Amino acid sequence: MNTTVGPYELVRLIASGGQGQVYLGYDARLCRQVAIKIRPLPEGRAMRRTVMREARLVASLNDERIVKIFDVIETPAHLALVMAYVPGTDLEHLLGHVSLSLASTLKLACDVAVALAAASQIGLVHGDIKASNVLVSEAGGICLADFGTAAIPSSPEAALAGGSLSALAPEHVLGEPVDLRTDLFALGRLLHRMLTGEHAFPMTLQAAERALAASRYELPALTEWESHSGHPPALAALVRRLLQAEPARRPQDTHLVRRELRTLRLECSLLSEPGLQAQAAPYFRPESATEEPLDIPDEFGQISGRRRAGMELRSLWRQRMPVSGAARAALALMLVGGMAGIMWWTRPAQSVIEVDLADIEISPSAVSVLRVTADDVLGLVSRELEQRLPGVRLLGAARPSVIYGDGDLPLPAAAKLSVQLRCGDDFCLLVMQRGLLPGEHRVQRLLVADAAPERWSDEIRQMVVAVYPAE
């Protein structure tokens, strides 16, 4: 039985649905877990090109609220998307066990809206905003998964087969084009379910088609929810605007939606309600193997990445190298000797810096506007250190560095670089300190909370230059 997809080893099945299966995988090259979704490819080269284009678009997204795509593996009949693995649970599973607090509901809705805003900046429509595609991490964060469904034209019947009836919009029923407003309609449906515990529309295909084709919608469960004291009328009003039958009458972008959700979150922060992480923790997915067999198409295991690369190199060798065996042997010795000499003379110095993420403090309101994550900041610091100090080896919170040289020689003691990140409602304070003594090569920068990633990159570059001046 095949248990590999290219260079990735499959561990267990996570979920299965009408559009494919999702597996927990392991990348031995980078020593990390990954999630691998295997889905059948549509027929026709034009549709396949569309799917691949969507996959490349999703891979270009860099937002902590969107599951990152690392790799795409294509076979004649299937497509495997290799993604970041998010331990925790999904919203569908969570809603089956607990009624979310208002604070948890608003955090979820706000983070989904921010993810949609990031996708809309590159013209990407999700097309399937449903509870099972909203992942809740073990830290209580939100990740939106399974982008690109809109790349494949679907009828209501196809939506039903994919388990996406809860994300249907009037545009799907009427066969009209979908856009960001379609995703906002689905967000309204998701909000309605989190608030009331009930779906806004029937969950059978024929009844859903009739309901969604109406010119206006009655939402009795939302009306009942709104009648209870302590439930903000502004939130019910927002849900009704999101669930307008005509796209022109819905919010036209995410800006106003996010602003209203942030305002409601600030108001609800005064309430003593359990947060999302506390409510979700008892229902996190067990991190253990399953007895369910791994049913992987054999075509994925036929040629691994390493074997394929070896075949290509051998083919090139046969085409370009001399025919004589003696000549080949002599040329091989020359190449090996030359490479060894180059590695010896150009090996980098083994200076070592331990990067310590000393302090992270981000206010709830800043989470919804920040355009970089703590991991992004560390990645930028690592990049600038490697460019500023060629040959440096990074340890600690920074990404590990690969160095060449005498691996059995002891490394020198690591120098310390402390990084602190504190974000309030409007501003972020970033601090770097080299060494342990107060004031020793210490710099700090104040940035607006929604500063562009390019601005963060420029500021971090200047800070690294200040902390490690030319000697």
Side-chain angles (χ1 to χ4, degrees):
M1 181 177 64
N2 178 39
T3 60
T4 61
V5 174
Y8 307 98
E9 184 72 25
L10 298 190
V11 179
R12 60 181 169 87
L13 180 68
I14 297 176
S16 180
Q19 294 189 5
Q21 295 78 39
V22 180
Y23 298 89
L24 173 64
Y26 185 72
D27 185 350
R29 302 165 303 173
L30 299 178
C31 299
R32 67 180 177 188
Q33 292 178 315
V34 294
I36 303 176
K37 178 169 185 176
I38 298 177
R39 60 184 297 178
L41 279 170
E43 296 182 359
R45 285 187 290 181
M47 278 308 308
R48 293 185 179 216
R49 286 196 297 268
T50 300
V51 170
M52 292 302 297
R53 183 172 65 249
E54 290 280 337
R56 286 191 290 269
L57 273 175
V58 178
S60 70
L61 289 170
N62 187 22
D63 190 286
E64 64 178 347
R65 300 167 190 84
I66 296 174
V67 176
K68 185 68 177 176
I69 291 183
F70 296 140
D71 196 2
V72 177
I73 300 176
E74 183 182 8
T75 72
H78 292 83
L79 182 71
L81 298 176
V82 183
M83 304 169 287
Y85 175 60
V86 182
T89 187
D90 62 70
L91 183 57
E92 183 67 46
H93 180 75
L94 188 57
L95 290 177
H97 292 83
V98 65
S99 296
L100 295 178
S101 67
L102 187 56
S104 296
T105 296
L106 289 170
K107 172 180 171 51
L108 277 157
C110 194
D111 284 356
V112 171
V114 173
L116 293 179
S120 68
Q121 290 179 357
I122 61 171
L124 190 63
V125 177
H126 188 287
D128 197 18
I129 305 293
K130 58 183 179 182
S132 60
N133 283 336
V134 180
L135 309 183
V136 182
S137 72
E138 292 181 342
I142 300 300
C143 281
L144 190 56
D146 213 10
F147 269 86
T149 300
I152 304 176
S154 60
S155 63
E157 290 79 7
L160 179 62
S164 304
L165 208 60
S166 60
L168 275 186
E171 299 91 287
H172 293 119
V173 174
L174 300 174
E176 297 174 350
V178 298
D179 56 25
L180 173 62
R181 297 170 297 180
T182 309
D183 282 345
L184 291 177
F185 187 92
L187 174 60
R189 295 191 63 167
L190 194 61
L191 259 172
H192 184 283
R193 184 180 176 192
M194 290 190 288
L195 293 174
T196 69
E198 298 182 15
H199 290 281
F201 302 96
M203 288 299 290
T204 59
L205 181 58
Q206 289 74 20
E209 285 183 303
R210 289 194 299 269
L212 288 166
S215 58
R216 63 185 303 271
Y217 307 129
E218 299 294 335
L219 302 170
L222 185 63
T223 301
E224 182 181 353
W225 178 87
E226 187 180 13
S227 66
H228 291 279
S229 61
H231 291 174
L235 181 54
L238 175 60
V239 174
R240 286 192 173 90
R241 291 202 305 276
L242 290 169
L243 292 179
Q244 290 293 314
E246 298 180 13
R249 300 184 63 183
R250 302 172 203 157
Q252 299 300 294
D253 55 46
T254 62
H255 179 73
L256 180 61
V257 176
R258 288 182 292 152
R259 187 174 67 185
E260 292 192 35
L261 289 171
R262 284 199 301 267
T263 300
L264 288 164
R265 283 190 69 188
L266 290 175
E267 294 174 357
C268 292
S269 64
L270 302 177
L271 304 176
S272 57
E273 292 187 322
L276 180 60
Q277 198 278 338
Q279 288 195 282
Y283 309 104
F284 286 154
R285 183 172 49 246
E287 294 300 318
S288 59
T290 179
E291 296 299 323
E292 192 155 358
L294 301 178
D295 184 17
I296 311 302
D298 290 337
E299 58 202 32
F300 279 112
Q302 290 175 356
I303 301 179
S304 68
R306 179 178 299 177
R307 181 182 170 192
R308 183 166 55 247
M311 292 172 63
E312 292 172 354
L313 287 174
R314 286 193 295 271
S315 175
L316 181 62
W317 175 274
R318 285 192 298 265
Q319 294 175 17
R320 302 296 185 186
M321 294 303 107
V323 176
S324 166
R328 287 188 180 185
L331 182 56
L333 287 173
M334 291 174 60
L335 288 173
V336 171
M339 291 177 65
I342 291 173
M343 292 176 64
W344 172 260
W345 288 108
T346 62
R347 59 179 180 174
Q350 292 193 0
S351 57
V352 183
I353 296 176
E354 180 178 351
V355 181
D356 177 25
L357 191 58
D359 187 13
I360 296 181
E361 184 177 334
I362 301 176
S363 71
S365 58
V367 170
S368 61
V369 298
L370 274 174
R371 299 172 63 182
V372 296
T373 66
D375 287 342
D376 294 334
V377 171
L378 281 175
L380 291 170
V381 171
S382 301
R383 185 188 69 185
E384 296 302 330
L385 285 171
E386 291 168 343
Q387 292 182 357
R388 182 72 175 169
L389 307 169
V392 69
R393 181 174 184 180
L394 303 179
L395 304 176
R399 64 188 181 202
S401 301
V402 178
I403 60 173
Y404 299 95
D406 300 323
D408 55 345
L409 294 179
L411 291 172
K416 298 285 186 179
L417 177 66
S418 297
V419 180
Q420 301 177 26
L421 177 63
R422 297 182 179 181
C423 293
D425 295 348
D426 300 308
F427 296 96
C428 290
L429 178 65
L430 181 62
V431 180
M432 285 188 203
Q433 178 171 330
R434 172 183 171 187
L436 302 177
L437 299 178
E440 180 184 6
H441 294 293
R442 175 187 173 92
V443 295
Q444 61 185 39
R445 294 288 190 275
L446 190 67
L447 297 95
V448 293
D450 61 350
E454 294 78 10
R455 177 65 185 276
W456 283 88
S457 178
D458 292 340
E459 294 292 345
I460 289 173
R461 182 180 303 112
Q462 297 176 22
M463 294 175 74
V464 169
V465 170
V467 171
Y468 293 93
E471 298 179 355

